[in-house]
Amino acid sequence: MGANKTKIAVIDDDRFIRYLLGLHLKKAGYDVFAAEDAVAGGRMVLERMPDVILCDVDMPFMDGYEFVTALRADPATRHIPVIFLTVNAAGEDRAKQLGAGQLKKPVMADEVVHAVAQA
């Protein structure tokens, strides 16, 4: 696989969630990198150009919806599939407006791996 591995960006302010998502996605064969907020995540996305982004909704500085709105405004990143992770299912319409999927926390490892594979 090597250089052809699918790259996944995990952006979540919870260190434990970043760790668990990374653990399960790496076990499934993905190249995973993580950031703790939208500011660090934005830099990371521009540098690494992931194939899929898993993004928390409730984060400091900028929420996930604002972050993805900014990604969609940039021609270099607008094509990247995004899956929101949130404890609040009420934002599903907002996720759809942004062309993103959404998983409700707590999320099972196989559910995340399947959603990433589908994206």
Side-chain angles (χ1 to χ4, degrees), residues 11-50:
I11 305 169
D12 197 304
D13 59 325
D14 186 314
R15 185 173 57 110
F16 186 64
I17 289 175
R18 288 193 311 269
Y19 170 77
L20 285 177
L21 289 172
L23 182 73
H24 292 295
L25 290 166
K26 286 177 185 176
K27 184 177 177 184
Y30 295 106
D31 182 16
V32 181
F33 40 97
E36 66 279 359
D37 58 47
V39 174
R43 265 188 253 113
M44 180 182 67
V45 166
L46 291 173
E47 290 171 6
R48 307 279 308 265
M49 287 309 223

Side-chain angles (χ1 to χ4, degrees), residues 9-89:
V10 175
I11 305 169
D12 197 304
D13 59 325
D14 186 314
R15 185 173 57 110
F16 186 64
I17 289 175
R18 288 193 311 269
Y19 170 77
L20 285 177
L21 289 172
L23 182 73
H24 292 295
L25 290 166
K26 286 177 185 176
K27 184 177 177 184
Y30 295 106
D31 182 16
V32 181
F33 40 97
E36 66 279 359
D37 58 47
V39 174
R43 265 188 253 113
M44 180 182 67
V45 166
L46 291 173
E47 290 171 6
R48 307 279 308 265
M49 287 309 223
D51 299 298
V52 179
I53 298 170
L54 293 172
C55 184
D56 187 19
V57 171
D58 296 317
M59 297 185 292
F61 307 118
M62 176 186 282
D63 72 26
Y65 300 127
E66 294 168 323
F67 175 71
V68 174
T69 298
L71 289 179
R72 296 296 189 241
D74 184 342
T77 58
R78 73 170 41 133
H79 68 282
I80 301 172
V82 174
I83 301 167
F84 287 112
L85 302 171
T86 182
V87 294
N88 186 355

